[in-house]
């Protein structure tokens, strides 16, 4: 298949630039497109065949449900049974990086929801995504636009690496601002469960709904045989080819000094060692596979850059990567969750 490319020029009106991509979606084809979280691989969410094509293009197991993207928050009611708490969440956080799992209506095919009776609904904030959904005239089912198991794409170049020749079109709308996938919450009566943390943090959700719990799969590996509430959370994810170790503070004084000493030792043993660390640590380290992802207190930068850096390691000879983790407050929880998965849950307390 020959993949068409569309590069968005934000100086010009979006509508005409998006027209071709919208036509492709409406005709049952697949388009990789930018959102504020990560790039999505979109198809018509009302078309069971399009969903099958998405699974095939990604090499993804078809029991892993797709998120349905809508043009405006009130459209949720067309595809799902929304309700009062949804309305409150929509008012506070939509359009934006939040997915809400709701009981589905019959119009959404089971192939989109991986056989579940529920559907994840998201109204993205990115202008290109919204214009694409509006113009296509149908909701868009879209997982992240990576090959299954690879880090989610945050640029069109990442989509090209994974999907060139496998999809009809790739729309280049620049870098995804957030860099981590949306927060997923499931509404259960008058309480919320966070299935996947993201830029809409538990602290922010608690302002709207006092009963917010966090699914066990977010912090820890689920015991063998347990089914997570979000089926996708059970798959190996975000993983570069090298073995990743996540470095955490075991407590006590002077963590910064302990980390840099540890990393220096590892680099002395093997100069190819991969390191992903805060800018401040890198100042005293030398090694060709030492990558940084922002200053220690700049969690937005860490989130924005994490997946790009993980992908970059695949182009190096590093067989082991040591990555430094920050706090689990705010968006730090989402970052920690993705790093933990990249590390296959191996944490070094030093
Ligand atoms: O930010 C995002 O959410 C991106 C962009 C493209 O919107 N999409 C994304 O999709 O990350 P994906 O398919 O890579 O991840 C969707 C996650 C999976 O873990 C899946 O199991 C979960 O959402 N999910 C979807 N529908 C669900 C449902 N009905 N119940 C529980 N979990 C669901
Ligand atoms: Mg994904």
């Amino acid at each position: 298949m020959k993949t068409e490319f569309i590069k968005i020029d934000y100086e010009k009106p979006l509508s005409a630039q998006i027209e071709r991509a919208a036509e492709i979606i409406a005709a049952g084809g697949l388009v990789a497109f930018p959102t504020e979280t990560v790039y999505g691989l979109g198809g018509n969410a009302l078309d069971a065949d399009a969903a099958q094509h998405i699974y095939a293009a990604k090499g993804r197991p078809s029991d892993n449900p797709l998120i349905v993207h809508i043009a405006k928050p009130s459209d949720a009611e067309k595809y799902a049974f929304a309700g009062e708490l949804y309305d409150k969440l929509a008012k506070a956080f939509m359009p934006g990086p939040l997915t809400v799992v709701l009981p589905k209506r019959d119009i959404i095919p089971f192939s989109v929801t991986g056989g579940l009776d529920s559907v994840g609904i998201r109204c993205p904030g990115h202008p290109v995504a919204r214009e694409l959904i509006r113009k296509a005239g149908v909701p868009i089912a879209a997982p992240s636009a990576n090959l299954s198991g690879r880090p989610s794409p945050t640029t069109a170049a990442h989509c090209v690496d994974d999907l060139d020749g496998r999809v009809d079109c790739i729309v280049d709308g620049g870098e995804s601002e957030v860099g981590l996938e949306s927060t997923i919450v499931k509404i259960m009566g008058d309480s919320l469960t966070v299935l996947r943390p993201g830029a809409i943090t538990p602290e922010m959700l608690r302002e709207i709904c006092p009963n917010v719990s966090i699914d066990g799969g977010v912090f820890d590996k689920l015991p063998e045989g347990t089914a997570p509430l979000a089926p996708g959370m059970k798959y190996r994810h975000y993983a570069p080819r090298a073995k990743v170790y996540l470095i955490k503070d075991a407590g006590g004084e002077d963590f910064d000094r302990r980390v840099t000493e540890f990393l220096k030792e590892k680099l002395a043993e093997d100069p190819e060692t991969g390191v992903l660390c805060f800018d401040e640590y890198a100042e005293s380290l030398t090694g060709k596979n030492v990558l940084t992802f922002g200053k220690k207190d700049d969690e937005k930068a860490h989130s924005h850059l994490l997946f790009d850096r993980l992908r970059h390691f695949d182009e190096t000879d590093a067989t082991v990567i040591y990555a430094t983790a920050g706090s689990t407050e705010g968006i730090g929880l989402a970052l920690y969750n993705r790093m933990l998965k990249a590390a296959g849950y191996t944490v070094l307390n030093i």
Side-chain angles (χ1 to χ4, degrees):
M1 174 188 295
K2 175 129 180 58
T3 302
E4 293 179 39
F5 293 93
I6 298 170
K7 170 120 179 90
I8 298 295
D9 178 350
Y10 288 102
E11 304 283 299
K12 298 190 181 139
L14 284 179
S15 183
Q17 300 181 68
I18 288 299
E19 195 158 346
R20 175 70 192 132
E23 260 171 36
I24 291 172
I25 299 265
L30 304 188
V31 176
F33 65 98
T35 87
E36 72 277 29
T37 56
V38 300
Y39 272 67
L41 174 59
N44 179 355
L46 306 181
D47 176 351
D49 291 340
Q52 294 304 342
H53 293 150
I54 290 174
Y55 291 121
K58 275 182 66 95
R60 172 175 179 155
S62 58
D63 68 342
N64 191 353
L66 307 175
I67 291 174
V68 171
H69 296 69
I70 55 178
K72 53 182 196 302
S74 61
D75 284 348
E77 200 48 59
K78 296 187 201 165
Y79 312 114
F81 298 92
E84 209 177 304
L85 186 47
Y86 171 86
D87 290 342
K88 281 192 193 163
L89 291 169
K91 195 158 171 250
F93 305 119
M94 293 183 198
L98 179 68
T99 297
V100 183
V101 174
L102 298 165
K104 83 171 193 72
R105 290 189 190 269
D106 290 342
I107 189 170
I108 299 292
F110 280 109
S111 61
V112 166
T113 65
L116 298 177
D117 294 327
S118 60
V119 58
I121 298 278
R122 158 156 144 77
C123 178
H126 197 291
V128 172
R130 297 191 70 197
E131 186 63 15
L132 180 63
I133 306 164
R134 205 183 60 73
K135 274 220 131 158
V138 290
I140 295 184
S144 48
N146 51 286
L147 286 175
S148 194
R150 296 264 290 156
S152 292
T154 55
T155 66
H158 296 161
C159 299
V160 171
D161 285 345
D162 283 16
L163 297 175
D164 193 14
R166 300 175 70 91
V167 301
D168 299 288
C169 177
I170 296 175
V171 179
D172 182 353
E175 290 180 20
S176 292
E177 192 189 331
V178 176
L180 301 178
E181 307 86 345
S182 61
T183 304
I184 304 179
V185 295
K186 184 164 183 159
I187 295 183
M188 302 200 216
D190 61 359
S191 57
L192 292 177
T193 305
V194 177
L195 309 187
R196 180 175 73 182
I200 305 297
T201 64
E203 293 86 341
M204 291 159 77
L205 292 165
R206 284 192 185 105
E207 305 255 313
I208 305 301
C209 170
N211 300 325
V212 176
S213 57
I214 297 171
D215 188 43
V218 168
F219 282 108
D220 285 305
K221 190 174 182 158
L222 289 166
E224 287 304 322
T226 325
L229 287 171
M233 299 291 274
K234 71 172 174 277
Y235 293 107
R236 183 167 180 268
H237 245 112
Y238 318 116
R241 281 187 268 275
K243 170 79 195 131
V244 182
Y245 292 95
L246 186 57
I247 300 176
K248 258 178 75 180
D249 186 355
E253 299 282 288
D254 224 1
F255 178 58
D256 293 349
R257 189 190 49 77
R258 275 181 280 132
V259 180
T260 40
E261 289 305 315
F262 174 86
L263 293 173
K264 269 185 204 161
E265 254 170 56
K266 293 293 172 190
L267 285 162
E269 281 166 24
D270 176 4
E272 307 273 340
T273 301
V275 171
L276 177 61
C277 66
F278 308 132
D279 295 355
E280 293 88 336
Y281 298 164
E283 282 161 20
S284 59
L285 301 175
T286 23
K288 64 178 190 176
N289 299 327
V290 175
L291 302 183
T292 59
F293 64 157
K295 292 212 182 318
K296 196 176 173 189
D297 60 1
D298 189 354
E299 280 157 356
K300 286 209 164 121
H302 309 159
S303 303
H304 178 70
L305 294 171
L306 176 69
F307 289 149
D308 178 76
R309 298 302 189 257
L310 291 181
R311 279 175 175 264
H312 185 84
F313 282 117
D314 282 348
E315 284 150 36
T316 72
D317 305 323
T319 54
V320 177
I321 299 163
Y322 295 97
T324 54
S327 104
T328 54
E329 302 289 304
I331 195 175
L333 178 64
L335 190 78
Y336 183 76
N337 168 259
R338 304 314 191 274
M339 293 180 81
L340 199 58
K341 295 182 123 222
Y345 298 91
T346 39
V347 177
L348 294 178
N349 287 296
I350 62 171

